[in-house]
Structures are given as C-alpha cells and as structure tokens.
Amino acid sequence: MNADQLLKGQRYQFITILGRGSVEIFESILDRLLAWDLLNWEEYEHVKSPGLLSRSSRNLLDVVTCKGARACELFILVLEDVISSSQLTDLILGNYMPPEKTDESSELLSSLASQTLQKQRPELVRKLHGHIAAVLEHLHRSGHFSKYECDEVQLPIYTPSQQARKLLDLTNAKGDDTAQVLLDYIESEPRPIKPALGNICLKYQEKLSSTLAAQSRFLTSYAGTENMCLEDIYVDCVLEIPSTAAETGCLSFLIGLEDIFGPDGVSNKDADTVLITGEAGSGKSTSLQQIQQLWATKRAFQDFAFVFAFSCRRLNFIDKPISLKMLLFEYCCWPDDHQDEVFQYILDHPEEIMFILDGFDEFKLQFTDEEKLCSPTKPTTALNLIFNLLQGNLMKNTKKVMTSRPSAITANLRKYLQKEVNLKGFSREGIETFIKKCHSNASSAENILDFVKANSALHGLCHVPFFCWIVSKCHEQLMQNGSDFAHTITDVYLLILEHFLLHFTHSNEGINEVLLSHVVTILHLSKLALDGLSSCCYIFSAVQLQEAEVSEEDISLGFLVHSHSFSRAHCVGNNRNYEFLHITIQCFFAALYITLNDNMEQSTLCSLFKHKQRKTSPCMLPASCVKGWPFYCHQSGDQHERKSEAMLQEAERSNLQITASFVSGLLSGRHRNLMGKTSLIQMRSKKYKLVKKCLAKIIQKHFLSIPPAVGGEKKSMHALPEFVWWIKCIYEMQDSDLAKQAVSKLDVDHLKLTYCGIGPVECTALAYVLKHLKNPVGLQLDYNSVGDLGIEQLLPCLDICQSIYLRGNNISDQGVSKLVDRALDSCNLQKIALFHNNLTDACAQNFAKLLKHKDNFLALRLGNNHLTGDGAEVLAEGLKQNNSIQYLGLWGNKVGDAGACALATALENNTSMLWLSLVGNDVGSHGARALASMLKKNTILEELCLQENSLVDEDMLHFAEGLQSNSSLKVLKLANNRISRKGMDFIIKSLKHNAAITSVWLGGNHVTAEEIEEMTRAERRLTF
C-alpha cells in the first residue's frame, strides 16, 4: 500500500489521533512540515487557524494528500517522529514500510535568513523555549520589535512553545534583516539563552539560597539527638531507571543524583515531574536534602534561578486556603521587598523553577485530578495546589522532583510523571564509605566493617541507609553482644532503643534492666505511636502529647524531635509540634505497645496480618470528612482497646506491614522475655503462638489458591505482594519450625517474584524460609534490587533451586563469583539467567569454571551485559569441556568476530548445545564464516540466532554451504542484518538440499516488498 493510499484509507484514524492529541503536538508536526518545505506559509496559516483540532487535522490531511505520494510518505515520517508509538496503534499500517528519513528541506532555503528560520524551525522552537524574554529584549533594543509586539508575543494565553512560534512568525513577516539579527543572537550564545536576573530577583535568590543552605546543612532525617553535617556524612545511594522506562538495549540502568532531569528514562516528555521511589529508610529525604544543598551552594542545578522545597507531611498542616504566591513566600521564603515583581518573574520563567516535594505518600488525601486550578492567585487547599502543580495546570514547565514510597503511587498519578527513578539504598561500596564517614578513627571504622561483613544478615541490612546508621551508631553494644545478636530488623531497632536509653541514663546495667526501669516511658511513647499510625498522624501537638502522658523527660530520650510544622493555629506560645525521628521508629514503638499491652485483643493481632486497605481510611477521605485531623485522634482506657482492631484497619498499609514485622520480632523467642514479669511473659507466649498460627494459616491459604498447571506446563506461582511481607514476618520470628510449616504445602515447580521490590533484606528472609522447601523449584526474581549483597543472602537457599532468574538486578562480577562458588556445590541448580545486569569479561572465568566442573548444568543466559570477545573466548574454553549445557544466550553484548570464532570452534564437536543466541553482538564476516563452518561439523544445534549483526551477502554463501551439510538445525535467525536479494538466493538454493530447517528469519534486511513476495512463493520456510 502506498503512503497516499494509506492516508486516504485510514483517514478517520489519522484524524482521530491528531484530534485527540494536544495543540503542542499538532504545532510540532506543522513545524517539521514547514522545515521540509511540505507546507508554504499560506497553507500553514490556513491549517493552524483557531478552531477544533479535528477540523485543523482534516485541513492538514487535505493539503498533504493533494501533494502526492512523496509528500504523504514524509508526513508519515513526521508523525512517527512526533507522536509516540502507543498513540499510533490505532492505525492499521499493514505491510506499509515508510522510507528512511532524509533531509527534505530545499537546498535553496539556506540562502536567505528568513528561509533559514523556516528550515531550522523545530530546532529554533526548542532553543527559544523558555527564553523568550531575553530574545525579545535584544530585538527591542535593536529596534526590530516594538514594545507592543513584545507584549503580544508574551501574552499569558500562549505556552512557552507557542510564544517561540509567535516570535518566529513575526520575525519572518518582518523580513531577512530581522531574521538575521535573531539568528546571529542565537548563534552568539554558546549556552542556552537565559535572561539575566535583575537586582530584585538576585536579592531574593541570595536569601532563598541562604535559607535552603541553612535548612539542608545538617542531616534532619533521623539524627534528632545530634547535629550531623550533611556534607560530612552524605553518601550517594543507587538510583536506577526502572526497566519500563529505559530506552536503551539494557532494560535498566543507573544514574547520578545530578542527572535526574536528564533525558534517560523519560516515559512522558510532556510531563515535568520526576518521581524518586524507595521504601522507608532508603534515603529519599536525605537525597532531596542533598539536592537543596547542591543548588544553594552553587555546586549543581544552576540552571534553576529558584528552588522551593516542601515536606508533604508538613503541608498537611496548612489549615487555611492559600494561593501559589502564599505557598512560595509564606511557607518557604519571604522576599524582603518587591514581592509582586519577584512573583511575576517566577510566573514568566517557569523553566527556571524547581519544586522539591518530600514524602508524597504522607499526604492525608489520595491524589486526584478532578478539581482543576489554573490561577496562581486563587486560594485553595494546599493539597489541591500541589496536585495542580503536578498536573501542570499551574506553573507548566517547572521541574518537580518528588519522593514517595511505591505503594502510594496510583495509575492516575503516573499519567503526570515524566520519569520514575528507583532509590535502591547503599551499594556495597556505599556501606563502607558511610561507616568510614561516621567514624573519623580509621581503625575503629575498619573494625566495624569487619564485624558487619562477618555477619551476612547484618551486612544485608546495612544496604538500607537508616539501618546502616543504626548499626554505625550502636556499634559498641552490637560488638559487645557478639556477631550472632543482630540478624533481624527487630534486633537492629532494639539496639537503637538500648543505645538511647543507656545514653540518657549513663547506666552500666544490662538491657533488660534498663528497659524495665523505663517501661512506663516506653508505654507512653508506644501508645502515642500506635494512635498516630491508626489515624495517619505523624506530627503531634502538645495536646496529643499530654493525652498520651508523654512528659518532657520522655521527649528528652531523643525518639521525638521538633517538627517545623506549618500549622500556626496549633503552635501557640512556646508549644511546639513533635514527630518521631523516622517513620519506622514510630512503627517500632507501635509494635512495642501491641506486644506489651496485656489488654490487646487476640482479634487485633490477627487483623494486623490480614490487613486490607479500606477505601474510606482517614488518609483517603475528602478534607471535609477529616475535620480536626490529625488532632484529638486519641482514645483512652477501655474505649481505646475496644477500638484497636478497627483503628488498625484504618492505618496506612505500608506502615502497618512494618509494624507487623516488628510485632513478629518482638514476640520471637529471642525477645519475648524483655520488659516483663512471669505473667506478662506467659501472655506474650500466647500472643506468639497466635501470630505463628495466623502466619502459617495465611501463607498456606495463599498456596491453596494457586491454580493447577495447564497440561504440559510446569505448575508455577506468581506471589502476591503480601507474600514477601509474610515471609519477612516469619524471618523476624526466627522460628525454623514455623518456616517449615509455612512452606510444607507449597507444591509448585516455579516460584515467580518479579517486580516485588526485593532487596538484600528480603533476600535474607526468602532464603531463611525457602531453604525448607521439600522439592526443588525454579526461583524467578527478575526486576528487583537484589544486587551483589542480595546474592550473598540468597546462597543458603540455592541448594533447593533448579533454576534462578535474576535479570535486571544490578549484579556485578563480584556477585557472580559468590553465586558460582555456591552453584558448584548445589546439585539441583541447572539454570542461571543474569541478563540486563552489570557483568563484564571478569565474570567469564567463573562461568568457565562452572561449565568445566558442573556436568548437569543446562542453561546460561547472560544477555545485555558488557561481555566482549575476550570474555567469549574464556567462556569457549569452558564449553570445550562441557557436554551438558543446552542453552547459551549472549545477546546484546559485544563479543564481535573474535568471540563468535571462539564459540564456533568450541561448538564444533559439542554434543549438547541446542540453542545459541548472539543477537546484536557486532558479528561480521569473520565470525559468520566460523559459525557457518561449525554447522558443517555440529550435529546437535537446533537454533542459531544472529539478528541485528553486520552480516552481508557474501556471508550467506558460507551459511548456504554449512546448511547443505547440516541435518540438526531447525531455525536460523538472520533478521536485521545487511543482506540483499543476492544473499537470500544463496539460502534459498541451499534449502532445496536441507529438509531439517523449518524456519529462516530474514526480516529487516535490504529487500523490497516485491522481492519478499517472490521469495516466499519460492520458499515457504522464509520468514519476514
């Protein structure tokens, strides 16, 4: 089908897509059509005339189709360039293949300045975007634009891109002189055009910088009892672009904090918000604090004139309607004078503004886009103001960076995100750097590191920055108790409790004695914590502290820190608001109350582990329904206990799961005897048995819901998100009998835990439980955060794994070394998949050793890593001594001809390999000839994948000779190479002498549609 026939036949679909799109997309299409001289100025003015997009789309299609087939071809190329592929799925393209992109602009268009404006229009719109004021100022000073024309271009009804087009249109109308002045000015600017700040704005910038520098200088996330300079203690966490956003060959990749606004990982180019997700304690707030500090000290992010930082937790406390101006000036930084001028600059230059929003998951209302607000001066609720900023209804083109726990992100919110970045905590090197920064004495730091590395579980916990801080802070107690003390998260939090109490009392007593002497204080704090979780309350007023009987002495322990709340109504006189120094500390104290309180009902304990988020929780209700929140949320006495179960069901899901994990740990045999008399210990033993029974029953019920296997397939289970939480609870209890009981009825061949947020901490718990499985399973942990530390934690359960899949887990050669060492002793393990990681040639030696010494190994998949010919040659040496492996996947590496030749030599006499993939490996003629020669001798290989390489017609002659002598190969994949009809004829001729081949893939090569049709008639086994 020709392009003009396609446009006519699918006219309705084209109009639908264009009509449903944005004005910005439509005008971007017109820019390119002008640049390629497919539209003249009269046609451009006719098509872009105000009105419905659908009407303009019809006019555009009419103009294009009248210009012939070539114009239609170029129009389709423009559409594919501007409109995302997902939006084009409505079109039925059939077998139509658009031509390659070429520069269709007229050669004559570069002779005159006005014509250069037309030719370079798309690029000029991008360059001028957001910098209109500076350009107009120059054109006005040079006498080419009047004041009226400058104001007309900058009318607020136009977006920045539309202002750029308006400027180009007026410039074009004024002739070549004005056009040349504009081009000269743009060319003379080596950096993006940026208007100079006036004295008024410079003065405000200086004050704002000073304010943010002071606010971010000290670590505020969890160092409530001491000042820790951020610069002295900060360590970069691992930031990963998730696989769904990556646009390169690798499905996930790492970025630096200073690159969060870069092009990598952009999934919605029309949005302005970057979301950083991470679990509690992963370093989200500290990362944003570092961004503030980098900008305020002029070390990074200097493209932004102003940065405004807000805590979502504290925004909840703005209890009056506010406008955007009030939010910026009253709740961030007040300009000493000329407020209107500063605010107008902010409105006029949104691209120079950055908003920082910490803790989106702590908003008391769920995100909604129902209530629109476009006026920057109209008062509304703080939450609605933020929601409209995220949507772009206010301050479109400002950059927003926001943090949240993953559970709070809805599909509705994702529509407005430019990209998502996952915060993975510390790397192995990050742990070492952090501990060394915490301890200036090098010898002391090395002793702590040696101790941590000797305890595998503790090392895994330290990848979470908050846990690492606790371990570093409490190292003396930790090392006194010995390496077997800290295995679980509960162990670590009991350490911080012991440390704070000992620091406060200066006592040399044992932990149990210290805890008993402060049991009343602990109960006060724990009751406050539980009531706060139950009502989604994280900042507490003096009234709440009084109702919970929390005294000044209790506060002085250090677990509660001052909160700089925005709520002035509740900060009367010297009264101040408080918050727990970290959300996980609040969850820990809530768990203490549940375990220590004798009046806690058994049904409450069970509901803790069966929790399901209600749609009408206080965190999700309209503002009118939670009047007075979060104050006066406390119950007392019997009323409090009667409503405990109902209150827990209203808590935020993620916080409740953390609390349940702590309850499991506190009821374990290791900690059950803390802070209690004999009668209380007996009561906790009953609670322990109840929780144990509840967990076993819940997990077994989950297993029973697994559907039976389809005929001929293995029985598999894709675990629910709650499954990992339950496993962590079992690990916290440190009860091997419970672990055995929990998985005793798991009868599956394949356990799938993809996209479950599994890091080293979760790996430790999984290994503790899964090692008790009766029968070997395939364990699939794709697209998590396992890393090298997680590999180390998984080793105890490797013996029960038939296969292990770890794609997209940021694993390096160091992790592979430990994995292979254990795999050599694991008789059941037969398959390893590690594609989309960070492996280099250094890992090849380990895999070669595995191939040489493990005679039941079946499959190795290392696609999309960083292996070269050197690594492939080492692997080939291992292959020569192995006759069990059946599948080897190396796609997306760079093994080249040298690697292909080495592998081909190794496979000549191999008696087991069925499938080999070298897709996208820069294999050329030398490698192709070696592989073709291998086919003459190999009698077992069934599928050879060579797509996306550099194979040419001459190589096909050698493959044809190989195929004539081969009787085992069934599928040969040669798509997306450089093969023409000549080379394909060699293959067709050889197939006449080969009955074994069932399919040869040749799509994406250099042949026409007519040639494809002719060849498929001649040979049905060709696939295009």
Side-chain angles (χ1 to χ4, degrees), residues 261-286:
F261 294 121
D264 291 334
V266 172
S267 58
N268 182 358
K269 62 183 179 182
D270 295 321
D272 310 308
T273 300
V274 174
L275 173 67
I276 300 176
T277 60
E279 296 297 343
S282 59
K284 300 186 296 295
S285 297
T286 306

PDB file of all heavy atoms in Angstrom, residues 261-286:
ATOM      1  N   PHE A 261      17.190  15.038  36.000  1.00  0.00           N
ATOM      2  CA  PHE A 261      16.385  15.730  34.994  1.00  0.00           C
ATOM      3  C   PHE A 261      16.901  15.478  33.573  1.00  0.00           C
ATOM      4  O   PHE A 261      16.446  16.106  32.635  1.00  0.00           O
ATOM      5  CB  PHE A 261      16.363  17.237  35.266  1.00  0.00           C
ATOM      6  CG  PHE A 261      15.656  17.615  36.538  1.00  0.00           C
ATOM      7  CD1 PHE A 261      16.327  18.307  37.538  1.00  0.00           C
ATOM      8  CD2 PHE A 261      14.348  17.254  36.758  1.00  0.00           C
ATOM      9  CE1 PHE A 261      15.690  18.659  38.721  1.00  0.00           C
ATOM     10  CE2 PHE A 261      13.694  17.598  37.937  1.00  0.00           C
ATOM     11  CZ  PHE A 261      14.369  18.297  38.914  1.00  0.00           C
ATOM     12  N   GLY A 262      17.835  14.565  33.426  1.00  0.00           N
ATOM     13  CA  GLY A 262      18.390  14.262  32.119  1.00  0.00           C
ATOM     14  C   GLY A 262      17.424  13.485  31.245  1.00  0.00           C
ATOM     15  O   GLY A 262      16.327  13.112  31.666  1.00  0.00           O
ATOM     16  N   PRO A 263      17.821  13.186  30.008  1.00  0.00           N
ATOM     17  CA  PRO A 263      16.912  12.525  29.054  1.00  0.00           C
ATOM     18  C   PRO A 263      16.701  11.038  29.321  1.00  0.00           C
ATOM     19  O   PRO A 263      15.739  10.462  28.829  1.00  0.00           O
ATOM     20  CB  PRO A 263      17.618  12.747  27.703  1.00  0.00           C
ATOM     21  CG  PRO A 263      19.073  12.871  28.058  1.00  0.00           C
ATOM     22  CD  PRO A 263      19.120  13.548  29.390  1.00  0.00           C
ATOM     23  N   ASP A 264      17.582  10.411  30.076  1.00  0.00           N
ATOM     24  CA  ASP A 264      17.467   8.973  30.304  1.00  0.00           C
ATOM     25  C   ASP A 264      16.200   8.624  31.067  1.00  0.00           C
ATOM     26  O   ASP A 264      15.884   9.233  32.096  1.00  0.00           O
ATOM     27  CB  ASP A 264      18.674   8.459  31.100  1.00  0.00           C
ATOM     28  CG  ASP A 264      19.955   8.501  30.294  1.00  0.00           C
ATOM     29  OD1 ASP A 264      19.848   8.432  29.056  1.00  0.00           O
ATOM     30  OD2 ASP A 264      21.039   8.606  30.894  1.00  0.00           O
ATOM     31  N   GLY A 265      15.485   7.639  30.557  1.00  0.00           N
ATOM     32  CA  GLY A 265      14.343   7.103  31.279  1.00  0.00           C
ATOM     33  C   GLY A 265      13.056   7.886  31.154  1.00  0.00           C
ATOM     34  O   GLY A 265      12.072   7.570  31.837  1.00  0.00           O
ATOM     35  N   VAL A 266      13.005   8.895  30.302  1.00  0.00           N
ATOM     36  CA  VAL A 266      11.789   9.704  30.164  1.00  0.00           C
ATOM     37  C   VAL A 266      10.688   8.851  29.526  1.00  0.00           C
ATOM     38  O   VAL A 266      10.869   8.302  28.440  1.00  0.00           O
ATOM     39  CB  VAL A 266      12.047  10.964  29.322  1.00  0.00           C
ATOM     40  CG1 VAL A 266      10.733  11.679  29.014  1.00  0.00           C
ATOM     41  CG2 VAL A 266      12.995  11.902  30.054  1.00  0.00           C
ATOM     42  N   SER A 267       9.563   8.731  30.201  1.00  0.00           N
ATOM     43  CA  SER A 267       8.440   7.968  29.665  1.00  0.00           C
ATOM     44  C   SER A 267       7.305   8.871  29.192  1.00  0.00           C
ATOM     45  O   SER A 267       6.446   8.440  28.438  1.00  0.00           O
ATOM     46  CB  SER A 267       7.909   7.004  30.737  1.00  0.00           C
ATOM     47  OG  SER A 267       7.513   7.705  31.900  1.00  0.00           O
ATOM     48  N   ASN A 268       7.295  10.136  29.644  1.00  0.00           N
ATOM     49  CA  ASN A 268       6.272  11.090  29.222  1.00  0.00           C
ATOM     50  C   ASN A 268       6.942  12.450  29.061  1.00  0.00           C
ATOM     51  O   ASN A 268       7.134  13.179  30.033  1.00  0.00           O
ATOM     52  CB  ASN A 268       5.139  11.155  30.257  1.00  0.00           C
ATOM     53  CG  ASN A 268       4.015  12.093  29.833  1.00  0.00           C
ATOM     54  OD1 ASN A 268       4.075  12.744  28.790  1.00  0.00           O
ATOM     55  ND2 ASN A 268       2.975  12.182  30.650  1.00  0.00           N
ATOM     56  N   LYS A 269       7.296  12.786  27.823  1.00  0.00           N
ATOM     57  CA  LYS A 269       8.060  14.015  27.589  1.00  0.00           C
ATOM     58  C   LYS A 269       7.227  15.275  27.809  1.00  0.00           C
ATOM     59  O   LYS A 269       7.788  16.368  27.913  1.00  0.00           O
ATOM     60  CB  LYS A 269       8.641  14.005  26.180  1.00  0.00           C
ATOM     61  CG  LYS A 269       7.600  13.974  25.067  1.00  0.00           C
ATOM     62  CD  LYS A 269       8.257  13.892  23.694  1.00  0.00           C
ATOM     63  CE  LYS A 269       7.229  13.846  22.576  1.00  0.00           C
ATOM     64  NZ  LYS A 269       7.857  13.726  21.250  1.00  0.00           N
ATOM     65  N   ASP A 270       5.921  15.137  27.888  1.00  0.00           N
ATOM     66  CA  ASP A 270       5.070  16.307  28.110  1.00  0.00           C
ATOM     67  C   ASP A 270       4.894  16.625  29.597  1.00  0.00           C
ATOM     68  O   ASP A 270       4.329  17.659  29.942  1.00  0.00           O
ATOM     69  CB  ASP A 270       3.692  16.081  27.488  1.00  0.00           C
ATOM     70  CG  ASP A 270       3.754  15.974  25.970  1.00  0.00           C
ATOM     71  OD1 ASP A 270       4.538  16.736  25.373  1.00  0.00           O
ATOM     72  OD2 ASP A 270       3.053  15.138  25.389  1.00  0.00           O
ATOM     73  N   ALA A 271       5.349  15.729  30.480  1.00  0.00           N
ATOM     74  CA  ALA A 271       5.220  15.947  31.922  1.00  0.00           C
ATOM     75  C   ALA A 271       6.498  16.580  32.466  1.00  0.00           C
ATOM     76  O   ALA A 271       7.529  16.627  31.798  1.00  0.00           O
ATOM     77  CB  ALA A 271       4.924  14.629  32.620  1.00  0.00           C
ATOM     78  N   ASP A 272       6.436  17.068  33.711  1.00  0.00           N
ATOM     79  CA  ASP A 272       7.552  17.819  34.299  1.00  0.00           C
ATOM     80  C   ASP A 272       8.029  17.235  35.626  1.00  0.00           C
ATOM     81  O   ASP A 272       8.950  17.767  36.229  1.00  0.00           O
ATOM     82  CB  ASP A 272       7.149  19.280  34.555  1.00  0.00           C
ATOM     83  CG  ASP A 272       6.518  19.933  33.344  1.00  0.00           C
ATOM     84  OD1 ASP A 272       7.130  19.867  32.273  1.00  0.00           O
ATOM     85  OD2 ASP A 272       5.414  20.490  33.472  1.00  0.00           O
ATOM     86  N   THR A 273       7.410  16.167  36.110  1.00  0.00           N
ATOM     87  CA  THR A 273       7.693  15.664  37.455  1.00  0.00           C
ATOM     88  C   THR A 273       8.542  14.407  37.412  1.00  0.00           C
ATOM     89  O   THR A 273       8.217  13.447  36.711  1.00  0.00           O
ATOM     90  CB  THR A 273       6.388  15.366  38.216  1.00  0.00           C
ATOM     91  OG1 THR A 273       5.619  16.574  38.310  1.00  0.00           O
ATOM     92  CG2 THR A 273       6.679  14.852  39.618  1.00  0.00           C
ATOM     93  N   VAL A 274       9.631  14.427  38.174  1.00  0.00           N
ATOM     94  CA  VAL A 274      10.465  13.236  38.364  1.00  0.00           C
ATOM     95  C   VAL A 274      10.142  12.648  39.727  1.00  0.00           C
ATOM     96  O   VAL A 274      10.208  13.347  40.742  1.00  0.00           O
ATOM     97  CB  VAL A 274      11.960  13.587  38.271  1.00  0.00           C
ATOM     98  CG1 VAL A 274      12.818  12.374  38.607  1.00  0.00           C
ATOM     99  CG2 VAL A 274      12.301  14.116  36.887  1.00  0.00           C
ATOM    100  N   LEU A 275       9.775  11.389  39.741  1.00  0.00           N
ATOM    101  CA  LEU A 275       9.418  10.717  40.993  1.00  0.00           C
ATOM    102  C   LEU A 275      10.552   9.799  41.428  1.00  0.00           C
ATOM    103  O   LEU A 275      11.010   8.952  40.654  1.00  0.00           O
ATOM    104  CB  LEU A 275       8.134   9.907  40.813  1.00  0.00           C
ATOM    105  CG  LEU A 275       7.739   9.011  42.004  1.00  0.00           C
ATOM    106  CD1 LEU A 275       7.346   9.870  43.205  1.00  0.00           C
ATOM    107  CD2 LEU A 275       6.598   8.073  41.627  1.00  0.00           C
ATOM    108  N   ILE A 276      11.014   9.952  42.655  1.00  0.00           N
ATOM    109  CA  ILE A 276      12.001   9.054  43.247  1.00  0.00           C
ATOM    110  C   ILE A 276      11.277   8.173  44.256  1.00  0.00           C
ATOM    111  O   ILE A 276      10.729   8.672  45.240  1.00  0.00           O
ATOM    112  CB  ILE A 276      13.134   9.822  43.940  1.00  0.00           C
ATOM    113  CG1 ILE A 276      13.857  10.727  42.927  1.00  0.00           C
ATOM    114  CG2 ILE A 276      14.118   8.872  44.598  1.00  0.00           C
ATOM    115  CD1 ILE A 276      14.941  11.589  43.550  1.00  0.00           C
ATOM    116  N   THR A 277      11.232   6.872  44.001  1.00  0.00           N
ATOM    117  CA  THR A 277      10.541   5.954  44.900  1.00  0.00           C
ATOM    118  C   THR A 277      11.554   5.128  45.680  1.00  0.00           C
ATOM    119  O   THR A 277      12.644   4.822  45.202  1.00  0.00           O
ATOM    120  CB  THR A 277       9.612   5.002  44.137  1.00  0.00           C
ATOM    121  OG1 THR A 277      10.380   4.226  43.200  1.00  0.00           O
ATOM    122  CG2 THR A 277       8.538   5.772  43.392  1.00  0.00           C
ATOM    123  N   GLY A 278      11.169   4.756  46.879  1.00  0.00           N
ATOM    124  CA  GLY A 278      12.003   3.912  47.729  1.00  0.00           C
ATOM    125  C   GLY A 278      11.244   3.560  48.985  1.00  0.00           C
ATOM    126  O   GLY A 278      10.336   4.290  49.404  1.00  0.00           O
ATOM    127  N   GLU A 279      11.604   2.446  49.583  1.00  0.00           N
ATOM    128  CA  GLU A 279      10.943   2.033  50.811  1.00  0.00           C
ATOM    129  C   GLU A 279      11.409   2.895  51.980  1.00  0.00           C
ATOM    130  O   GLU A 279      12.359   3.677  51.858  1.00  0.00           O
ATOM    131  CB  GLU A 279      11.222   0.550  51.090  1.00  0.00           C
ATOM    132  CG  GLU A 279      10.659  -0.391  50.042  1.00  0.00           C
ATOM    133  CD  GLU A 279       9.135  -0.356  49.951  1.00  0.00           C
ATOM    134  OE1 GLU A 279       8.492   0.136  50.901  1.00  0.00           O
ATOM    135  OE2 GLU A 279       8.593  -0.811  48.935  1.00  0.00           O
ATOM    136  N   ALA A 280      10.746   2.760  53.113  1.00  0.00           N
ATOM    137  CA  ALA A 280      11.095   3.537  54.302  1.00  0.00           C
ATOM    138  C   ALA A 280      12.548   3.286  54.684  1.00  0.00           C
ATOM    139  O   ALA A 280      12.989   2.141  54.762  1.00  0.00           O
ATOM    140  CB  ALA A 280      10.170   3.159  55.452  1.00  0.00           C
ATOM    141  N   GLY A 281      13.291   4.371  54.908  1.00  0.00           N
ATOM    142  CA  GLY A 281      14.681   4.244  55.337  1.00  0.00           C
ATOM    143  C   GLY A 281      15.682   4.150  54.210  1.00  0.00           C
ATOM    144  O   GLY A 281      16.882   4.013  54.451  1.00  0.00           O
ATOM    145  N   SER A 282      15.215   4.245  52.941  1.00  0.00           N
ATOM    146  CA  SER A 282      16.119   4.041  51.806  1.00  0.00           C
ATOM    147  C   SER A 282      16.912   5.286  51.431  1.00  0.00           C
ATOM    148  O   SER A 282      17.762   5.233  50.542  1.00  0.00           O
ATOM    149  CB  SER A 282      15.332   3.551  50.584  1.00  0.00           C
ATOM    150  OG  SER A 282      14.337   4.495  50.218  1.00  0.00           O
ATOM    151  N   GLY A 283      16.643   6.426  52.084  1.00  0.00           N
ATOM    152  CA  GLY A 283      17.429   7.628  51.833  1.00  0.00           C
ATOM    153  C   GLY A 283      16.755   8.663  50.955  1.00  0.00           C
ATOM    154  O   GLY A 283      17.427   9.530  50.391  1.00  0.00           O
ATOM    155  N   LYS A 284      15.419   8.619  50.852  1.00  0.00           N
ATOM    156  CA  LYS A 284      14.713   9.555  49.968  1.00  0.00           C
ATOM    157  C   LYS A 284      14.859  10.990  50.446  1.00  0.00           C
ATOM    158  O   LYS A 284      15.230  11.876  49.673  1.00  0.00           O
ATOM    159  CB  LYS A 284      13.215   9.162  49.897  1.00  0.00           C
ATOM    160  CG  LYS A 284      12.951   7.775  49.371  1.00  0.00           C
ATOM    161  CD  LYS A 284      11.473   7.498  49.192  1.00  0.00           C
ATOM    162  CE  LYS A 284      10.709   7.517  50.518  1.00  0.00           C
ATOM    163  NZ  LYS A 284      11.130   6.438  51.422  1.00  0.00           N
ATOM    164  N   SER A 285      14.564  11.235  51.725  1.00  0.00           N
ATOM    165  CA  SER A 285      14.620  12.604  52.246  1.00  0.00           C
ATOM    166  C   SER A 285      16.035  13.154  52.204  1.00  0.00           C
ATOM    167  O   SER A 285      16.256  14.329  51.871  1.00  0.00           O
ATOM    168  CB  SER A 285      14.088  12.632  53.686  1.00  0.00           C
ATOM    169  OG  SER A 285      12.727  12.252  53.734  1.00  0.00           O
ATOM    170  N   THR A 286      17.009  12.313  52.519  1.00  0.00           N
ATOM    171  CA  THR A 286      18.401  12.761  52.501  1.00  0.00           C
ATOM    172  C   THR A 286      18.848  13.113  51.088  1.00  0.00           C
ATOM    173  O   THR A 286      19.606  14.071  50.878  1.00  0.00           O
ATOM    174  CB  THR A 286      19.305  11.675  53.091  1.00  0.00           C
ATOM    175  OG1 THR A 286      18.828  11.321  54.392  1.00  0.00           O
ATOM    176  CG2 THR A 286      20.731  12.161  53.208  1.00  0.00           C
TER     177      THR A 286
END
